[in-house]
Amino acid sequence: MTDLNPQAKHMADESMVRCLDAQARAIWPQEIPLLHRYALPSNARILDAGCGTGEGASRMAELFPDASVLGVDIIDKNLELARSRYQKFGSRLNFQHQSIFELKAADATFDLTVCRHVLHSIPYADRVIGELARVTRPGGYLHLIPEDYGMLHFERAGLDPGEFWHQVPAAIGAASQTDMFIGRNIYRILAAMQVEQITMDYIVVDTIRVPRETFAAIIEAWRDGYAEAISEQTPLTYEDSLGYFNQMIANIRDPGGYAVWMVPVVSARVAA
Ligand SMILES: C[S@@+](CC[C@H](N)C(=O)[O-])C[C@H]1O[C@@H](n2cnc3c(N)ncnc32)[C@H](O)[C@@H]1O
C-alpha cells in the first residue's frame, strides 16, 4: 500500500522545524502581496492544510486580524509546538490533528484554503487538491505552494549542483510515489477541476532578495534532514550528498556568489 506521508520521519525531525522557520522568513515578505489579492470577507475563515509548526497559519492570523485560521497536520509534535508558540491569537487560531486526504470540514466551509510546501511530499496530490477545493466555498480561493526541485540553480564549482538536482528529486520521487516537480505539473491538475482564474506566480528566494544567512539556513536544514535518505534512495553516498549541500551553502554565503530557488505560488478560485 502506498505510504500517504512518506516523509513523516523528516517532517518530524528537528531540522524540519529550522527549515520551516527559515523558509517562512525567506518567503513570507513576497507572499503577503499575493495573499492580499484575494477578496476575503471580514471574519474570513482560512484553512492551512499541512500547517507543520504553524509558520504560515500564524502569519495569516497576523495579516488578517478579523479572520479565524485553522491549521491541520498529522504530526502531533509540530501541532503542539504551534499551539504553544501562538497562544496570543486565542480562539482565532486553532491547530487540529487531521489528514488533508480526509478533512473533517463540511463542503464549502472556508473562504481561503492554503497549502504551503506539502504537495511535493505526498502521493496522490490531485486527490488532496480535490479535497481542498471541496472544503472551499464557491467563490473562495485556493492558495498553494507546490515545490518544484527543478527550480533551484547554483553556481558550478568542484561539483555541478545541476547534476544533483537532476538526479536526486527524480529518484526520491520515484521511491516515494511523490511528484517532486509538482510546481510545473499542478496547472494541469487545476485546469481539469471546477476552478477558475488560475494564476502562477513565483517567489524568488535568491541571494539578492533574501539575506544570505536565511537562504543558507534553508539548505543547511535540508542537508541535515535529507542527506541520509539521499544516500539510501539514490546512487549518491552520504559523503557525496554532504559535499553537494556544503558547496551550495558556500555558494550562498560567498558575498560574490549568486544562487536562486524559484518557489511557485499557485492560486485558483473555486467556481461559483
Ligand atoms: C514541509 S511541511 C510544511 C509546513 C507548513 N505548511 C509551512 O509552510 O511551514 C509539510 C507538512 O505537511 C504535513 N503533512 C503531510 N501529509 C499530511 C497529511 N496527510 N495530512 C496533514 N498534513 C500532512 C507534514 O506533517 C508537514 O508538517
Side-chain angles (χ1 to χ4, degrees):
M1 205 176 96
T2 304
D3 181 356
L4 292 182
N5 190 7
Q7 292 195 22
K9 181 168 155 256
H10 310 286
M11 294 299 174
D13 191 65
E14 95 29 71
S15 62
M16 184 55 69
V17 176
R18 275 190 280 135
C19 169
L20 300 180
D21 163 65
Q23 285 184 174
R25 284 188 283 117
I27 286 169
W28 189 251
Q30 294 175 57
E31 195 174 353
I32 290 172
L34 299 176
L35 285 160
H36 273 315
R37 293 175 303 181
Y38 308 127
L40 295 183
S42 55
N43 305 316
R45 297 183 72 179
I46 300 174
L47 173 69
D48 187 11
C51 63
T53 53
E55 297 285 352
S58 61
R59 283 173 171 82
M60 285 183 284
E62 191 93 53
L63 190 67
F64 301 111
D66 298 329
S68 61
V69 182
L70 172 64
V72 301
D73 206 288
I74 46 174
I75 296 186
D76 287 313
K77 203 166 82 172
N78 288 345
L79 288 167
E80 277 159 29
L81 185 59
R83 286 186 197 111
S84 69
R85 275 180 173 174
Y86 304 115
Q87 289 175 16
K88 70 171 182 176
F89 293 104
S91 60
R92 263 196 333 110
L93 176 60
N94 285 289
F95 294 100
Q96 292 179 6
H97 184 116
Q98 286 188 36
S99 171
I100 54 176
F101 282 93
E102 259 181 320
L103 292 163
K104 291 184 183 155
D107 294 358
T109 295
F110 296 100
D111 300 292
L112 174 64
T113 299
V114 174
C115 187
R116 311 169 77 255
H117 308 290
V118 179
L119 295 169
H120 69 285
S121 70
I122 52 166
Y124 311 119
D126 53 338
R127 277 196 217 164
V128 167
I129 297 166
E131 182 66 353
L132 301 181
R134 178 187 72 75
V135 299
T136 308
R137 71 165 167 82
Y141 296 90
L142 299 175
H143 173 95
L144 314 172
I145 298 190
E147 292 182 2
D148 188 314
Y149 285 87
M151 296 188 187
L152 288 126
H153 303 288
F154 292 83
E155 292 172 338
R156 281 176 86 147
L159 299 167
D160 179 1
E163 285 174 9
F164 178 89
W165 293 113
H166 183 67
Q167 188 178 5
V168 169
I172 293 204
S176 57
Q177 294 179 263
T178 60
D179 181 2
M180 304 288 281
F181 304 97
I182 191 159
R184 74 195 65 179
N185 294 325
I186 196 167
Y187 183 89
R188 185 175 293 283
I189 296 173
L190 288 168
M193 290 172 50
Q194 296 292 314
V195 298
E196 50 202 25
Q197 299 177 13
I198 303 171
T199 64
M200 296 279 311
D201 290 275
Y202 290 88
I203 286 173
V204 180
V205 175
D206 72 357
T207 46
I208 293 173
R209 291 164 178 83
V210 170
R212 288 180 188 273
E213 272 316 304
T214 306
F215 191 0
I218 296 172
I219 309 299
E220 276 178 341
W222 290 0
R223 175 196 65 195
D224 299 345
Y226 288 95
E228 200 180 311
I230 288 169
S231 70
E232 289 161 4
Q233 295 176 21
T234 79
L236 297 181
T237 65
Y238 181 69
E239 287 70 28
D240 291 338
S241 181
L242 285 188
Y244 277 109
F245 278 119
N246 286 336
Q247 183 182 299
M248 291 185 258
I249 293 161
N251 177 187
I252 294 169
R253 289 212 168 106
D254 174 356
Y258 181 79
V260 59
W261 174 28
M262 290 163 61
V263 184
V265 180
V266 183
S267 77
R269 190 167 178 266
V270 173

